[in-house]
Amino acid sequence: MKRRKIWILLLCYLLISSVLSGCWNYREVESFAIISGFAVDKKDENYLLTFEIVNVESGKDTVISTKHVTSEGTTVFDAVRKTIKMVGKRLYFSHAEVVILSKEVAEEGIVPILDWVARDAEPRSTLHYLVSKEGPAGEILEQQSMTSDVLAYELSDMLKAQRSLSNALDTEEWQFMRDMATKGLSATLPTVRLTNDDNKVLPEISGAAIFKEDKLVGFIDGEDTMTMMFIKDEIKGGLLVNKEYKGDSVTNMSLEILTSKTKLKPRYADNKITMEIVTETNVAIDENGGRDNYLEGEALAKLKSDFETMLQDNIRNLVKSMQEEYDCDTFGFGRAIKIKLPRVWKQIEPQWSEVYKTVEVEVHSTINIRNTSFESKPVKVGD
Amino acid sequence: MRMEIISNRQGITLIALFIMGSTLVLGIGADAKQDAWLAILLAVLLAVPMMAIYARLLSLYPEKNLYDILDTVFGKLFGRLVALLFTWYVFHLGAMVLRNFQEFIKVVAFPETPEFVPIMLMGILCIWAAKEGVELLGRWSQFIMIILSAIIVIVVLLCMKDADFDNLRPVLYNGVGPVISSAFGIFSFPYAETFVFTAVFTFSKVRNSPLKVYLKGLILGTVFVLLVSLRNLLVLGPDLIEQVYFPSYAVVGIVNIGDFLQRIEVTVAVVFLFSGFAKISVCLLAASKGVDYIFGLGNYRQIVAPVGLLMMVSSHIIYQSIMEMQEWAFDIYKYYAFPFQVLLPVVIWIAAELKAKRAKPDGSVRHPPRV
Amino acid sequence: MPILCTMVYISFALIDLIPIVRNKRWKVLAVYAVLILASYTFSMLTEQGIQLPSPAGPLKDLVTSIVGIPKTS
């Protein structure tokens, strides 16, 4: 008995150790070309993809460098595989964080690209999409990055940093897919373009691309994007800036947004839909740029109401332009109606495109000035 | 043959693991869209009477399992016929779960690994476990349940950052119809599958209460199923859930805490591994006992290996592709399983009650000594 | 790969059959042999790529004929 047991145990050990690595085959890290991000342009009927490949050389110091490869194909995956013609390694997408789409590609309809990114197991669902506002998407990816070694990762950091600026709405792949699938909501993506600054070319992320279904229909700038984020309850930080006038003196005021909450309340009466947009924002006064004191008393109250009016006007104007120019329910009015007034939604859903244009908007913004940061009074000037 | 008695708690955790089995990874209730959670609750209500019947069968004949009951109630010939039907069902079920498991591994982890490798590795383990018997499974499930519960709860908490409660609204937008039809589907998969346990459990009259075990197991398993389904709904929303084969995997892929804790999809794989293993082993155990009874072999342990190997091969044969698997699982299974999960048990139960009445008035039954 | 498969079958057979034969349980041996040979045959055939009939098709037809076309989810 003992001997047989030993043989069996040995067999077990052999079997187990052969599978303990858990892998059927292996791929050396060096046999991969790690992609940090890629850009999609159109060339005639084909897709032109630009890839940023990250090279890690370890030696005395770890050197990270990037190379760029472009490839053309009939479909997205076709272009991806064709890179093998130029690169000795297969592309590996699990570390990709950014996908930049050109204006043309977006205008045509981005489902073909969305499909591959979603279907293939390698790209993460947390990668970020961007639309290139001017010029080819590939060009943006090929720039030398300023702060980090890898441009795609820098773009991803820029998107995350937008929390403090709110000029662009960072959208991850799964969020974009979810928004596109939702009836009663038109999706948006942040936009990027190249700016010339002192003869240095830098990518700048600001503004949003408006999509109707899966086609790009227009762009809005950074300021309007902030307003859009207000309506969509996506504000996590940023500044509200305005000027206050008292006679001849002008004071620049900046309010730093601490937190903000927006509620959409649809109402239905007499065959008319009214959408109440209620925002409540907590701010701190971060700049009282002048000699006049807006930090207390009546002036403070005026400041508060001036900013509230500004925000309300911005919101009202943006909604109007969305309704009239773009005919896109970017803010999710439809979705809000479906959630809060389901019976009404059932009736109007088939004609939502038309009904959307007729929605009246009532905006109530409250700005709570929580503190004036470090100083309680304006800068004192003797003589 | 020695008695295999398991404690109440072991039975409860085993049933819970079985319920969680393929449910957690495939996802259920997708038909009901945002009301999937309602469908689950409704399915629980539907399941309770059936489970009471299953438990009653076990209570009527303590220390006997389904096949012994069939023998007593229907006699040698008819009992064996019914056992054949049941054995086929449970064998098929085991093969299906094994195939689910293999497709999951293939899509999500190892697209290049030949199909039979995960099947074989899992199959060998299940054969071993089934050979050891139900007490091993019971003890193991007690232990594993604690680990899995912790993993599931932690992952669900990590996902809450991306949760949007509006995804659950408007409640009952599409009416009650989808909820009811979805609940029927959930009743079939996984709840009424617990009928399989009547072939596997042998309870002592004194130490166990089959009804308690079934109901508590139902609740424990449902807690986690509900938790996971709600999490999937809250994060992905009903529209996205339809698009992916494995919603849990997609949701967990979104978790990204401080750029550090990300791509934790492996936790989903681990949960499925363990609960899938439990389910397949139970099915294999039940099927082996069935073969043992049908052919009068006397000890199921000796036949586990070939039954298991056959199950492994079958799991490869039964579907040609993952699309076919999906279609079968969601559209056809609930109808196919109904006779096995409801009609058969009810018939057996009625016959058993009648037999019990005809025997001693105190309700206990004289059974022939086991061969 | 067929080699690995065969090895698995043989190891199971060895582990199981020795006590069965020793105890002269011929009925068990018979059932065991039938089952394991059947599954071995199916494995080998599948390895070769031959498509074996699956109950999924006929069962699906049976169900559809009784219940009607099931709704796709």
Side-chain angles (χ1 to χ4, degrees):
Chain A
M1 261 335 94
K2 269 246 153 86
R3 277 194 68 197
R4 210 166 68 96
K5 267 208 172 135
I6 293 179
W7 276 114
I8 295 180
L9 268 174
L10 223 75
L11 190 64
C12 287
Y13 288 150
L14 277 172
L15 278 174
I16 291 177
S17 50
S18 71
V19 295
L20 210 52
S21 62
C23 305
W24 179 252
N25 50 13
Y26 64 91
R27 300 183 284 185
E28 288 285 351
V29 176
E30 281 80 37
S31 70
F32 282 137
I34 301 178
I35 302 293
S36 58
F38 65 97
V40 185
D41 288 293
K42 272 230 110 164
K43 187 169 166 185
D44 305 320
E45 289 302 309
N46 288 343
Y47 286 105
L48 182 67
L49 265 59
T50 314
F51 301 93
E52 186 182 31
I53 305 177
V54 181
N55 242 321
V56 181
E57 267 147 60
S58 43
K60 203 161 87 121
D61 305 303
T62 326
V63 175
I64 303 182
S65 60
T66 60
K67 284 209 274 274
H68 299 96
V69 169
T70 55
S71 165
E72 211 181 304
T74 330
T75 67
V76 175
F77 196 29
D78 191 32
V80 169
R81 271 297 149 88
K82 288 207 161 103
T83 56
I84 296 201
K85 292 195 275 193
M86 293 158 272
V87 184
K89 318 172 183 177
R90 225 189 69 174
L91 302 184
Y92 183 62
F93 285 90
S94 287
H95 291 282
E97 292 212 3
V98 163
V99 176
I100 310 180
L101 308 166
S102 79
K103 185 158 162 279
E104 288 73 37
V105 167
E107 278 169 351
E108 248 188 25
I110 49 173
V111 165
I113 298 119
L114 290 182
D115 185 86
W116 180 74
V117 173
R119 199 175 294 278
D120 195 287
E122 271 180 17
R124 292 184 208 177
S125 49
T126 52
L127 60 72
H128 309 268
Y129 275 114
L130 283 167
V131 175
S132 160
K133 203 162 166 173
E134 314 155 354
E139 214 182 302
I140 299 184
L141 203 55
E142 283 171 346
Q143 296 309 314
Q144 190 63 20
S145 77
M146 200 171 66
T147 51
S148 103
D149 297 311
V150 182
L151 184 74
Y153 295 153
E154 182 181 51
L155 287 175
S156 155
D157 288 338
M158 284 163 72
L159 280 168
K160 291 187 198 134
Q162 279 283 344
R163 282 175 70 99
S164 310
L165 180 57
S166 295
N167 263 11
L169 181 52
D170 182 17
T171 311
E172 293 181 348
E173 188 254 355
W174 69 278
Q175 292 168 325
F176 188 58
M177 299 287 282
R178 177 198 60 189
D179 289 348
M180 278 233 326
T182 311
K183 274 217 177 81
L185 178 67
S186 293
T188 67
L189 283 180
T191 57
V192 62
R193 67 192 181 112
L194 294 175
T195 59
N196 244 310
D197 177 31
D198 261 351
N199 282 331
K200 248 199 321 226
V201 182
L202 293 172
E204 178 193 87
I205 295 183
S206 166
I210 314 287
F211 284 82
K212 195 170 172 70
E213 289 177 4
D214 77 314
K215 295 189 170 50
L216 172 72
V217 291
F219 294 107
I220 56 175
D221 68 9
E223 299 294 321
D224 284 338
T225 307
M226 184 178 208
T227 312
M228 174 185 86
M229 287 169 72
F230 260 110
I231 308 177
K232 286 174 80 140
D233 195 22
E234 291 276 2
I235 298 278
K236 297 190 176 59
L239 289 183
L240 291 170
V241 175
N242 208 358
K243 291 188 198 287
E244 289 289 326
Y245 300 93
K246 189 157 140 182
D248 277 344
S249 65
V250 182
T251 319
N252 302 319
M253 305 297 305
S254 318
L255 302 180
E256 179 167 17
I257 300 174
L258 302 171
T259 58
S260 180
K261 188 119 188 67
T262 308
K263 288 203 176 76
L264 292 179
K265 298 185 188 162
R267 284 201 314 266
Y268 184 67
D270 303 323
N271 248 352
K272 198 139 186 50
I273 300 187
T274 316
M275 184 67 69
E276 208 186 314
I277 304 179
V278 180
T279 73
E280 186 169 342
T281 314
N282 294 320
V283 302
I285 300 184
D286 228 63
E287 243 186 298
N288 186 79
R291 311 272 293 268
D292 298 317
N293 185 350
Y294 285 96
L295 305 175
E296 48 196 359
E298 246 183 54
L300 182 62
K302 178 172 183 298
L303 177 74
K304 178 170 138 86
S305 90
D306 281 346
F307 267 91
E308 283 169 354
T309 315
M310 176 184 87
L311 188 55
Q312 281 166 192
D313 288 339
N314 285 346
I315 293 178
R316 225 173 282 124
N317 292 335
L318 186 64
V319 173
K320 216 191 200 107
S321 80
M322 274 303 140
Q323 286 176 311
E324 291 169 6
E325 273 177 64
Y326 295 112
D327 187 22
C328 267
D329 184 5
T330 322
F331 316 108
F333 284 174
R335 185 166 171 261
I337 297 176
K338 178 176 178 181
I339 291 177
K340 300 238 166 72
L341 304 170
R343 267 180 288 257
V344 175
W345 178 246
K346 275 209 173 107
Q347 287 179 305
I348 62 176
E349 189 192 338
Q351 305 101 11
W352 177 235
S353 294
E354 268 77 66
V355 180
Y356 172 64
K357 295 202 237 258
T358 67
V359 171
E360 296 257 329
V361 160
E362 259 178 44
V363 190
H364 301 288
S365 295
T366 315
I367 297 187
N368 301 321
I369 303 182
R370 294 280 178 217
N371 63 60
T372 64
S373 298
F374 205 58
E375 307 271 323
S376 60
K377 296 246 189 291
V379 173
K380 204 158 182 181
V381 179
D383 64 17
Chain B
M1 202 178 79
R2 64 181 199 280
M3 260 313 115
E4 301 162 358
I5 308 250
I6 58 175
S7 76
N8 272 349
R9 190 172 300 164
Q10 290 169 348
I12 292 173
T13 51
L14 195 54
I15 290 186
L17 274 182
F18 183 92
I19 288 176
M20 285 154 66
S22 18
T23 323
L24 288 188
V25 175
L26 289 182
I28 47 175
D31 283 2
K33 300 269 167 91
Q34 71 268 24
D35 299 320
W37 59 284
L38 281 175
I40 295 176
L41 291 174
L42 185 57
V44 169
L45 285 176
L46 291 176
V48 168
M50 278 323 294
M51 291 199 176
I53 294 180
Y54 306 155
R56 177 76 181 141
L57 279 174
L58 287 173
S59 314
L60 275 176
Y61 295 89
E63 296 180 11
K64 299 270 171 256
N65 69 27
L66 177 71
Y67 300 114
D68 301 323
I69 299 176
L70 285 178
D71 199 51
T72 315
V73 171
F74 289 125
K76 284 240 176 340
L77 178 61
F78 205 48
R80 287 200 161 125
L81 262 147
V82 176
L84 187 64
L85 280 176
F86 179 72
T87 306
W88 157 252
Y89 169 71
V90 77
F91 175 82
H92 190 191
L93 181 61
M96 283 194 278
V97 179
L98 200 47
R99 180 61 182 262
N100 289 346
F101 172 73
Q102 180 260 313
E103 289 293 348
F104 175 68
I105 295 288
K106 191 184 184 96
V107 164
V108 141
F110 308 133
E112 294 169 24
T113 303
E115 282 133 7
F116 76 88
V117 172
I119 291 182
M120 177 150 343
L121 292 172
M122 180 60 117
I124 293 176
L125 270 178
C126 293
I127 290 177
W128 186 7
K131 268 196 171 204
E132 292 295 324
V134 73
E135 312 106 319
L136 170 80
L137 282 172
R139 280 197 306 258
W140 174 84
S141 70
Q142 246 185 311
F143 171 64
I144 281 294
M145 193 68 206
I146 302 177
I147 298 181
L148 286 191
S149 317
I151 294 180
I152 294 178
V153 168
I154 292 177
V155 171
V156 167
L157 286 176
L158 288 178
C159 294
M160 281 301 113
K161 174 170 86 91
D162 291 303
D164 178 7
F165 277 87
D166 277 340
N167 273 329
L168 291 179
R169 305 166 72 186
V171 181
L172 290 180
Y173 176 73
N174 292 312
V176 214
V179 175
I180 294 181
S181 90
S182 194
F184 177 50
I186 300 176
F187 166 79
S188 287
F189 166 73
Y191 293 131
E193 288 173 352
T194 53
F195 180 49
V196 166
F197 280 98
T198 54
V200 158
F201 283 157
T202 42
F203 284 132
S204 99
K205 193 165 186 155
V206 173
R207 285 169 49 199
N208 303 120
S209 156
L211 187 63
K212 261 199 219 155
V213 169
Y214 258 106
L215 290 181
K216 283 192 181 169
L218 170 67
I219 293 178
L220 185 60
T222 303
V223 162
F224 289 105
V225 164
L226 202 56
L227 204 58
V228 166
S229 297
L230 274 174
R231 173 202 70 189
N232 293 353
L233 264 180
L234 287 175
V235 176
L236 287 183
D239 300 305
L240 270 191
I241 287 186
E242 284 190 324
Q243 288 191 306
V244 292
Y245 279 123
F246 306 115
S248 297
Y249 193 79
V251 171
V252 176
I254 289 171
V255 171
N256 186 350
I257 310 284
D259 263 355
F260 170 68
L261 208 57
Q262 45 177 275
R263 291 229 98 158
I264 58 175
E265 292 99 302
V266 71
T267 56
V268 171
V270 162
V271 169
F272 187 30
L273 221 100
F274 285 129
S275 47
F277 166 73
K279 194 163 178 177
I280 300 170
S281 300
V282 168
C283 288
L284 180 55
L285 195 53
S288 306
K289 290 196 170 182
V291 171
D292 164 32
Y293 169 64
I294 294 174
F295 292 102
L297 301 176
N299 181 1
Y300 76 92
R301 290 202 157 90
Q302 294 163 332
I303 204 75
V304 172
V307 175
L309 287 167
L310 197 59
M311 198 186 267
M312 283 153 60
V313 174
S314 309
S315 76
H316 188 74
I317 299 175
I318 47 175
Y319 302 122
Q320 291 204 17
S321 66
I322 192 176
M323 290 88 73
E324 197 182 344
M325 174 179 104
Q326 179 100 334
E327 185 193 7
W328 233 83
F330 287 113
D331 294 334
I332 302 179
Y333 180 71
K334 50 187 164 190
Y335 300 108
Y336 157 76
F338 187 74
F340 298 102
Q341 293 170 340
V342 178
L343 297 178
L344 205 62
V346 166
V347 164
I348 299 175
W349 170 56
I350 293 180
E353 291 280 11
L354 287 176
K355 189 123 191 171
K357 282 223 169 61
R358 257 190 269 137
K360 291 185 183 172
D362 68 356
S364 73
V365 184
R366 292 179 61 225
H367 7 268
R370 193 157 159 62
V371 169
Chain C
M1 282 328 104
I3 309 173
L4 192 63
C5 222
T6 313
M7 271 174 51
V8 170
Y9 275 90
I10 293 184
S11 15
F12 269 118
L14 278 178
I15 299 177
D16 280 333
L17 285 178
I18 298 181
I20 294 181
V21 169
R22 192 177 313 131
N23 290 335
K24 299 202 198 311
R25 320 210 40 190
W26 302 125
K27 207 201 290 191
V28 178
L29 182 63
V31 177
Y32 192 103
V34 167
L35 284 177
I36 206 169
L37 283 173
S39 88
Y40 184 66
T41 320
F42 292 149
S43 315
M44 289 300 116
L45 288 178
T46 312
E47 300 261 0
Q48 303 293 43
I50 302 174
Q51 198 65 254
L52 293 163
S54 139
L59 278 173
K60 171 175 164 190
D61 294 331
L62 181 64
V63 168
T64 331
S65 63
I66 297 180
V67 177
I69 315 285
K71 313 187 291 270
T72 30
S73 42

